[in-house]
Amino acid sequence: MCGICCVVSLSPRSCVLADRVRTNLISRGPDHSQDVTKTVMKPDFKCLFSAHVLHMKGSLTPQPLQDSAGNLLLWNGEIFGGLEVGPEENDTIVILQHLSVQEDSTGICRVFSRVRGPWAFVYYEVAKHCIWFGRDYFGRRSLLWHSDPEVVILTLTSVASCPSTSEQSQWHEVPAAGIYRLDLNDCAQSKGLIIEVFPWVNSEDHPSVHTPDYTWEDLPAYATVMPNLSGVFLQSPVCPMNMSTSAPERHLGHVQSPQLSLENLEELLMQSEKVERVKQLIEVLSEAVRRRVQSLPCSRPFTDQSGTNDEADIAVLFSGGIDSMILAVLADRHVPAGKSIDLLNVAFKLQEAKPQTQSSKKGKKPKTDPTDEHQGDHNLTRCFDVPDRITGRAGLLELQHLNPERQWNFVEINVTPEELQRMRQERISNLVHPLDTVLDDSIGCAVWFAARGVGMAMDRAEQKLYTSNAKVVLTGIGADEQLAGYSRHRVRFKSDGVEGLVKELAMELSRISTRNLGRDDRIIGDHGKEARFPYLDEDVVSLLNQLPVWEKADLSLPRGLGEKLLLRLAARELGLGPSAILPKRAMQFGSRIAKMENRREKASDKCKRLNTE
């Protein structure tokens, strides 16, 4: 993973990268930094390419990477399939080799259509003076754009900085609707920016009827975004979603009580068609996890014989809920036996509860245990006993039962209001930007502290300070969006039935780049770590897209069973117990960050706390 930036100027003003933006980029890529400037007199333009590398695979490859012809690539991504990459090869080199031999836009689009994995890039095609850029189909890597309101300058960067309260932000996320081309010859002639779009298209779509939403917000008068005139497009890496609505009768019609048990899942697992679907999901999801936990940094080689190098390379954002539990179980399959796995569990300090009284009218005092010499420490610990901490500890016990030989580092990350306020102003606001809602603030802060990995963990029956140095962080984003895990899915199902639910899920997947992924990439990347999303692996999404909605979820069943039903069956098949029927709890509520702020706020409200002044 890397922090990448490109500044294109068609004005006399030189290309400049703001100090705060550069600082944020270096945090993403601490292993190597380099700038390259291109100045061309005819047509007259200047380009600054800035790259900051986090070394993840193969030999350390400095960026910007140039070939013998002068073509230049900024690459922030991972190739998990589609193009062949040897065990010791570097992704950036492979991508540039493929791009360098392409003779036209069709060839360049063909390269990016083949890549499986997350990416954002900027590519300078020197012979044609064209700048190509874009994000993958789901937008799993961040790329922002900014245009100067007065002079013709365009900036593309992985992460920006939040403006002061007196300034109006001009930063926006590049839409993950395709890839884009800036022909600098045409731009110099027109004295403006003409940005051509090469959209993603599904196999059964005809390009002439495909109208992706590639609208860019707040474009200056000198800039235009338009479909490419040649009609070239990229092939979607996933199959279209099954929109069937003729659901059969459900098989667990008698399950009405909220008191669920594992027997409900086991009853369904006795049905042959369910077993087949569950096996398919486990197989494809296991392979997705394998790709992501075995593409690791080479700096800490594992030695079986000595066992001395057992520091975790893999961490999981861990609440003990079904999404993170399954990721941990599948990671356990593919991480070497002697290596530990970090489970990152974040909690925000609860307000101290008043001493409980049995009856104020009777004047009875609260009962205390006079023999408890550690009452103060106990109360301090209880301040962080949020729902995700409780389910996380229970999930840890399940994992230890499944594999007692594995060292599971359950990292208790405790955040006080004072530290939250300080780090929000110093770091997090700049990373969340340009998103700005209360929900973005809550999720952004929770993920930032979790990914930092600084907390307490057990060491030989004693809790000690612990810092996770794992460069790879697995996150469960994508499970709820595809398997009807949110409460809003149940609301839509109750109001509009299966047809409404199908439409809601299709909308969820189409907007995941703007609601979640760019923000989470910026947040996690700030620690010099890489977010990886197994539930958004192209093969996983294609499998789930092929299935009718009733094979993925049954929202006529109670909470803790009906939502993400297929995943719950997979959890039980993998040997998980109570975590398989835990109801969904959003991170902002499970970690209790939502309780620390104004409880009357709505998630969609603009968040004033994200101001940096």
Side-chain angles (χ1 to χ4, degrees):
M1 189 198 71
C2 304
I4 61 175
C5 182
C6 173
V7 184
V8 180
S9 174
L10 276 75
S11 75
R13 187 186 301 181
S14 61
C15 298
V16 177
L17 184 57
D19 290 342
R20 189 56 191 259
V21 174
R22 183 180 294 277
T23 298
N24 291 338
L25 289 168
I26 291 173
S27 295
R28 293 177 60 88
D31 295 329
H32 187 276
S33 294
Q34 180 174 273
D35 290 353
V36 171
T37 301
K38 294 280 188 180
T39 301
V40 177
M41 302 304 295
K42 188 176 181 182
D44 187 12
F45 66 85
K46 306 180 190 69
C47 294
L48 169 66
F49 300 92
S50 184
H52 309 271
V53 177
L54 176 68
H55 180 212
M56 297 298 292
K57 187 179 179 182
S59 59
L60 176 60
T61 302
Q63 294 192 44
L65 183 64
Q66 296 188 70
D67 63 13
S68 58
N71 297 306
L72 182 148
L73 177 65
L74 300 174
W75 173 254
N76 174 27
E78 298 287 347
I79 301 175
F80 293 129
L83 298 178
E84 185 175 348
V85 182
E88 302 301 322
E89 286 189 293
N90 182 275
D91 291 4
T92 311
I93 295 175
V94 171
I95 285 288
L96 183 56
Q97 287 173 344
H98 280 274
L99 292 175
S100 296
V101 297
Q102 305 306 320
E103 298 180 353
D104 53 24
S105 58
T106 300
I108 289 177
C109 287
R110 188 181 299 117
V111 171
F112 287 104
S113 295
R114 291 175 60 190
V115 176
R116 298 295 179 264
W119 48 264
F121 80 100
V122 178
Y123 173 60
Y124 175 48
E125 189 181 10
V126 63
K128 298 179 181 179
H129 294 312
C130 287
I131 299 285
W132 293 81
F133 60 95
R135 303 162 68 193
D136 71 77
Y137 184 79
F138 297 114
R140 288 165 290 187
R141 291 289 176 260
S142 171
L143 191 64
L144 308 178
W145 70 271
H146 174 277
S147 57
D148 191 292
E150 298 178 357
V151 294
V152 186
I153 297 179
L154 176 69
T155 301
L156 302 163
T157 180
S158 300
V159 61
S161 63
C162 190
S164 67
T165 53
S166 61
E167 297 175 332
Q168 182 178 0
S169 173
Q170 299 293 326
W171 291 105
H172 302 279
E173 292 187 327
V174 172
I179 63 174
Y180 303 84
R181 181 176 66 183
L182 196 63
D183 188 323
L184 296 176
N185 291 296
D186 292 344
C187 292
Q189 185 174 357
S190 65
K191 306 297 183 182
L193 298 177
I194 304 172
I195 303 169
E196 292 182 281
V197 186
F198 296 76
W200 294 105
V201 176
N202 287 316
S203 56
E204 53 254 22
D205 289 343
H206 191 279
S208 63
V209 300
H210 190 74
T211 54
D213 181 13
Y214 48 75
T215 305
W216 286 33
E217 301 177 72
D218 300 331
L219 280 172
Y222 61 74
T224 303
V225 179
M226 57 183 288
N228 73 88
L229 299 178
S230 56
V232 178
F233 57 92
L234 294 94
Q235 183 65 52
S236 167
V238 299
C239 69
M241 181 177 290
N242 187 327
M243 303 296 286
S244 301
T245 58
S246 302
E249 294 184 7
R250 54 193 173 97
H251 298 285
L252 284 178
H254 63 283
V255 179
Q256 298 297 333
S257 171
Q259 300 298 319
L260 302 176
S261 68
L262 295 175
E263 284 73 20
N264 299 136
L265 293 176
E266 291 165 358
E267 179 183 341
L268 283 169
L269 282 172
M270 294 175 64
Q271 301 167 15
S272 58
E273 68 275 13
K274 292 288 186 186
V275 172
E276 182 61 29
R277 292 300 189 206
V278 167
K279 288 183 177 179
Q280 285 180 321
L281 178 59
I282 291 175
E283 180 180 354
V284 72
L285 191 53
S286 178
E287 176 61 17
V289 171
R290 184 196 67 78
R291 292 171 185 149
R292 285 156 178 80
V293 303
Q294 292 186 353
S295 298
L296 298 177
C298 303
S299 56
R300 298 195 302 268
F302 172 67
T303 305
D304 253 329
Q305 291 78 9
S306 66
T308 57
N309 222 353
D310 60 352
E311 185 178 12
D313 293 321
I314 298 295
V316 182
L317 293 186
F318 189 76
S319 66
I322 184 172
D323 306 342
S324 59
M325 285 292 289
I326 285 183
L327 293 183
V329 170
L330 296 178
D332 182 50
R333 287 185 171 187
H334 304 295
V335 172
K339 300 286 280 185
S340 59
I341 295 176
D342 289 344
L343 307 174
L344 308 178
N345 183 273
V346 65
F348 291 83
K349 188 177 181 180
L350 296 168
Q351 293 180 357
E352 294 184 13
K354 297 179 180 179
Q356 294 182 354
T357 60
Q358 292 185 358
S359 174
S360 59
K361 292 182 179 180
K362 296 180 181 180
K364 293 186 178 180
K365 295 181 179 180
K367 292 183 178 181
T368 60
D369 183 356
T371 65
D372 187 0
E373 298 179 357
H374 303 285
Q375 188 72 28
D377 292 341
H378 178 65
N379 288 338
L380 179 61
T381 302
R382 287 183 57 190
C383 290
F384 295 101
D385 279 348
V386 302
D388 279 0
R389 178 61 49 79
I390 295 169
T391 55
R393 289 171 180 158
L396 172 64
L397 293 176
E398 288 193 49
L399 294 174
Q400 290 172 332
H401 175 74
L402 287 175
N403 188 356
E405 302 300 321
R406 173 77 65 190
Q407 175 62 42
W408 301 97
N409 297 320
F410 183 69
V411 189
E412 298 189 7
I413 299 160
N414 299 329
V415 186
T416 64
E418 296 77 18
E419 187 178 20
L420 170 62
Q421 182 177 0
R422 183 175 71 255
M423 299 315 301
R424 177 192 280 126
Q425 295 303 308
E426 290 180 9
R427 300 296 310 158
I428 301 171
S429 293
N430 290 287
L431 305 168
V432 171
H433 188 73
L435 303 188
D436 58 3
T437 69
V438 169
L439 181 63
D440 293 317
D441 173 57
S442 296
I443 298 296
C445 290
V447 171
W448 190 88
F449 281 104
R452 186 175 66 165
V454 177
M456 305 290 292
M458 295 298 295
D459 181 14
R460 299 177 182 177
E462 181 183 358
Q463 270 213 334
K464 295 184 179 180
L465 290 173
Y466 182 89
T467 298
S468 172
N469 293 316
K471 281 189 175 182
V472 172
V473 179
L474 301 181
T475 169
I477 289 289
D480 290 307
E481 288 80 359
Q482 298 181 79
L483 293 155
Y486 292 122
S487 57
R488 60 178 174 266
H489 296 141
R490 198 170 282 274
V491 171
R492 183 68 186 271
F493 175 73
K494 287 181 178 179
S495 63
D496 299 318
V498 174
E499 183 176 354
L501 177 60
V502 169
K503 292 179 180 178
E504 188 79 9
L505 292 179
M507 181 266 291
E508 289 278 8
L509 206 56
S510 69
R511 70 180 184 179
I512 196 169
S513 65
T514 58
R515 283 180 66 91
N516 302 90
L517 295 174
R519 177 199 65 209
D520 289 358
D521 175 64
R522 294 190 294 275
I523 290 289
I524 295 174
D526 189 54
H527 301 294
K529 300 179 180 182
E530 181 172 286
R532 294 186 176 177
F533 311 95
Y535 290 106
L536 291 172
D537 180 270
E538 288 84 354
D539 291 340
V540 173
V541 176
S542 287
L543 172 65
L544 294 176
N545 274 0
Q546 291 173 32
L547 301 180
V549 67
W550 57 85
E551 291 196 24
K552 297 182 281 191
D554 185 350
L555 299 190
S556 63
L557 298 176
R559 287 187 71 235
L561 182 63
E563 73 277 14
K564 297 189 283 193
L565 177 59
L566 184 61
L567 199 62
R568 297 183 187 282
L569 293 171
R572 189 59 184 149
E573 183 71 14
L574 288 168
L576 291 174
S579 60
I581 53 174
L582 275 179
K584 164 68 180 179
R585 187 187 296 113
M587 188 178 195
Q588 65 269 31
F589 301 118
S591 68
R592 282 298 189 259
I593 187 174
K595 295 288 186 180
M596 298 182 74
E597 311 295 353
N598 183 355
R599 301 188 184 189
R600 295 184 179 180
E601 291 177 323
K602 295 181 180 179
S604 58
D605 289 347
K606 300 289 184 183
C607 183
K608 296 179 181 178
R609 292 182 298 278
L610 289 173
N611 293 331
T612 56
E613 294 184 352

